[in-house]
Amino acid sequence: MSSNHFKRNLSVLLILLLFFGQVIGIINVQLSKPKFFAWSPYDEISYYKIEGILNGEKLTKDDISNRYRISAIGRQNRSIYNIISIVRQYETSYGLAEPAKIEISYIVNGHKKSTWKWPEDEFD
Amino acid sequence: MSLTKKSGVPVSQIISIKAFLLYILLLKYGLVNPFSDYFPFLPFIPALDAIPRAIYSSLSVVLGVSIVTPLITKNYYQSMSLISGLIVLFFLMSSKLLFSNSLTFVACMLILSGLYFGTDYIFRIQIALLYFGAAINKFLTADWWNGLYMDHLLREVFQVSHYQHNFPADMIEVAIILGILVILIEFALGILVLVPKYTRMLIVFGLIFHGSMLVITSGRLSLHFMYIMSAAYVSISSLELTPVKLIGGNSVSKCILSRLDFSDTLFIRNEATDYFVIEKHGKIYQGKKAYLELVLTKQCALLTYFFLLLFTMVFPRLVGKISVYFS
């Protein structure tokens, strides 16, 4: 009986942790721009294009795809900051050995075009 | 939590678990490929980068086994769904590229199925978190209130012809109303799911909501969510199915049908008879009447519904892969 009681209490604890993590995710997305683990499917539609220069040479679409494992030109259905987050994380980790200059141009929900640049990590 | 027997797992749970496992097996099959070098890559927790690929390969194998075991043995539902859910969640944490709301929801529901201790309220809370999260995010986004998002989605992204022809670009009011309606519906669904006596209303409105998105966008939006939310709704439906015995007839067909059955309530009884016979509600039907009565069962309806959705999701991918292979 005590073993069942322990298992049930453990299950309840794990379930509460799972729910708490999701609540944190929903709150966190209001404070930070990328929308991961926030239950925000199709919140904004962004068309983007990634261009880059590595060692003085322009990266092709295939180079971009191979580098970040995402399309160089595409559509992001959650937040453009998800794409920026991916590029930023790559450039600050795996890409340190071969740093690239990256520009992501994007349009969110049909608004005017914007750009983000790396390594400046700035928006125009 | 039962680790070795499916007894104590309600039929609605079994259906839901099978639907989620099949979703991973057929649509996210890369996760069970131990030869993939997909993980880790840009993990949410940087420390995961230090985990050797061999560990991920091993977990892929474990995931494959945990998915297939309950489908084949009709047993170990809770333990295998807990293992599957935890591994999928771990994979999600190991790559930003893998992240999707539908896969995350499937992982959460599988974990909850594994931890299930007798109340379906845990699934209700999970579904409510999804709807509330979606509603709150939209509520706090200006473009959902000024119609820009909805207009852009219908006019430019999915180019919905009815919307383009009937509502000119300067007629933003319709988009505003649709945007606010979506927010209200998601809040309402989040509330309804928490009140058990409104379960039937929730399921009807939820299916209409997700189905409407499919229809409006000609099937391009929300097919995955239609499937996974259908599976989630089953988990809270307290569905009761009358066991049906399949007797006589072609044994291969009976075996296939029994295997495809999501609910594990189609039982084979091997008897030498000339005709195909079924026993349902204590009554015996044979021949054509037996086939008709079988088609009219809830088991058949569920099987048809979920496999139709799976086929609709899987077939285009299969065609794409084959055309790439031959090109």
Side-chain angles (χ1 to χ4, degrees):
Chain A
M1 190 60 121
S2 63
S3 169
N4 284 338
H5 203 63
F6 172 75
K7 282 180 187 172
R8 182 178 166 136
N9 285 346
L10 184 60
S11 293
V12 169
L13 180 65
L14 292 173
I15 290 168
L16 286 174
L17 276 173
L18 185 65
F19 291 157
F20 183 67
Q22 291 174 61
V23 170
I24 295 295
I26 294 169
I27 294 170
N28 181 59
V29 85
Q30 312 310 324
L31 306 171
S32 68
K33 296 284 177 66
K35 292 189 178 179
F36 294 110
F37 299 108
W39 299 129
S40 58
Y42 274 85
D43 257 21
E44 62 182 49
I45 304 285
S46 309
Y47 286 97
Y48 69 88
K49 183 178 178 183
I50 305 174
E51 294 172 296
I53 296 172
L54 180 66
N55 298 327
E57 287 192 17
K58 189 172 175 182
L59 292 167
T60 64
K61 284 183 202 170
D62 287 339
D63 291 334
I64 301 273
S65 293
N66 291 334
R67 190 174 177 89
Y68 305 117
R69 298 191 193 175
I70 54 176
S71 297
I73 299 173
R75 189 182 88 199
Q76 165 60 228
N77 300 325
R78 295 174 202 100
S79 169
I80 188 61
Y81 295 97
N82 288 17
I83 298 293
I84 292 170
S85 167
I86 285 167
V87 171
R88 184 188 286 125
Q89 184 168 344
Y90 184 95
E91 295 301 328
T92 53
S93 57
Y94 316 136
L96 284 174
E98 279 192 315
K101 289 189 68 168
I102 300 295
E103 180 172 304
I104 300 178
S105 47
Y106 59 92
I107 296 174
V108 179
N109 295 342
H111 289 288
K112 67 178 175 72
K113 184 172 149 184
S114 302
T115 53
W116 174 82
K117 291 180 180 169
W118 179 268
E120 295 86 350
D121 198 0
E122 284 173 358
F123 296 89
D124 283 345
Chain B
M1 181 176 72
S2 170
L3 294 182
T4 58
K5 291 193 182 297
K6 69 174 177 178
S7 60
V9 182
V11 165
S12 53
Q13 287 277 300
I14 292 174
I15 296 167
S16 178
I17 289 170
K18 281 193 180 183
F20 289 133
L21 293 178
L22 280 172
Y23 178 82
I24 299 172
L25 188 65
L26 297 177
L27 287 149
K28 306 292 179 184
Y29 44 80
L31 299 181
V32 301
N33 176 10
F35 304 109
S36 162
D37 63 350
Y38 202 80
F39 301 110
F41 186 76
L42 302 180
F44 287 96
I45 303 170
L48 295 180
D49 255 330
I51 296 178
R53 289 233 166 96
I55 301 290
Y56 284 96
S57 297
S58 304
L59 286 174
S60 288
V61 174
V62 174
L63 178 62
V65 170
S66 65
I67 288 173
V68 167
T69 297
L71 296 176
I72 291 177
T73 66
K74 299 189 181 188
N75 209 339
Y76 310 110
Y77 285 105
Q78 282 199 273
S79 54
M80 294 298 118
S81 61
L82 179 61
I83 292 170
S84 302
L86 287 172
I87 293 177
V88 171
L89 196 60
F90 179 72
F91 282 170
L92 279 163
M93 298 303 295
S94 301
S95 175
K96 281 184 179 175
L97 273 59
L98 178 64
F99 175 80
S100 76
N101 286 288
S102 46
L103 188 60
T104 306
F105 185 75
V106 168
C108 291
M109 289 296 286
L110 284 171
I111 291 170
L112 291 174
S113 296
L115 297 172
Y116 172 80
F117 53 85
T119 172
D120 69 3
Y121 215 80
I122 57 176
F123 305 116
R124 293 177 183 277
I125 294 174
Q126 179 58 67
I127 296 168
L129 280 169
L130 171 80
Y131 282 128
F132 282 139
I136 289 168
N137 283 313
K138 293 178 178 70
F139 183 86
L140 296 172
T141 305
D143 282 351
W144 276 88
W145 290 94
N146 59 26
L148 285 178
Y149 173 86
M150 193 56 76
D151 186 73
H152 180 65
L153 183 79
L154 297 176
R155 193 180 303 284
E156 309 293 339
V157 179
F158 289 114
Q159 297 178 348
V160 177
S161 55
H162 292 300
Y163 183 82
Q164 287 175 320
H165 294 141
N166 294 322
F167 306 114
D170 57 353
M171 198 170 163
I172 200 77
E173 292 80 10
V174 173
I176 292 173
I177 291 169
L178 286 174
I180 295 172
L181 200 60
V182 169
I183 295 172
L184 290 174
I185 289 172
E186 286 181 338
F187 269 124
L189 291 174
I191 294 167
L192 279 178
V193 74
L194 294 174
V195 185
K197 71 175 181 176
Y198 294 132
T199 300
R200 189 165 288 193
M201 190 188 299
L202 161 85
I203 292 174
V204 168
F205 284 135
L207 289 176
I208 290 173
F209 174 60
H210 292 289
S212 300
M213 282 192 266
L214 269 179
V215 169
I216 290 170
T217 60
S218 304
R220 286 170 291 172
L221 179 63
S222 199
L223 184 55
H224 286 231
F225 255 93
M226 183 79 181
Y227 179 88
I228 65 171
M229 291 319 294
S230 298
Y233 292 154
V234 170
S235 72
I236 61 169
S237 66
S238 302
L239 188 66
E240 293 194 10
L241 297 176
T242 306
V244 175
K245 290 178 192 156
L246 311 176
I247 308 163
N250 184 278
S251 53
V252 172
S253 305
K254 281 189 311 189
C255 189
I256 291 173
L257 203 56
S258 167
R259 286 280 158 217
L260 292 178
D261 170 37
F262 272 70
S263 64
D264 293 351
T265 53
L266 292 184
F267 301 101
I268 296 174
R269 207 165 83 191
N270 288 316
E271 279 181 22
T273 66
D274 291 333
Y275 304 102
F276 173 61
V277 176
I278 70 165
E279 185 183 322
K280 183 175 115 175
H281 293 295
K283 291 183 184 172
I284 301 286
Y285 304 91
Q286 65 179 27
K288 286 180 187 170
K289 186 78 174 148
Y291 288 112
L292 180 64
E293 288 296 326
L294 185 62
V295 166
L296 293 176
T297 58
K298 287 181 188 173
Q299 287 90 329
C300 199
L302 282 166
L303 189 162
T304 306
Y305 178 82
F306 279 110
F307 272 110
L308 201 59
L309 284 178
L310 275 171
F311 178 80
T312 310
M313 291 187 287
V314 171
F315 185 70
R317 291 183 179 213
L318 202 59
V319 168
K321 293 253 181 240
I322 292 171
S323 57
V324 165
Y325 181 76
F326 282 110
S327 66

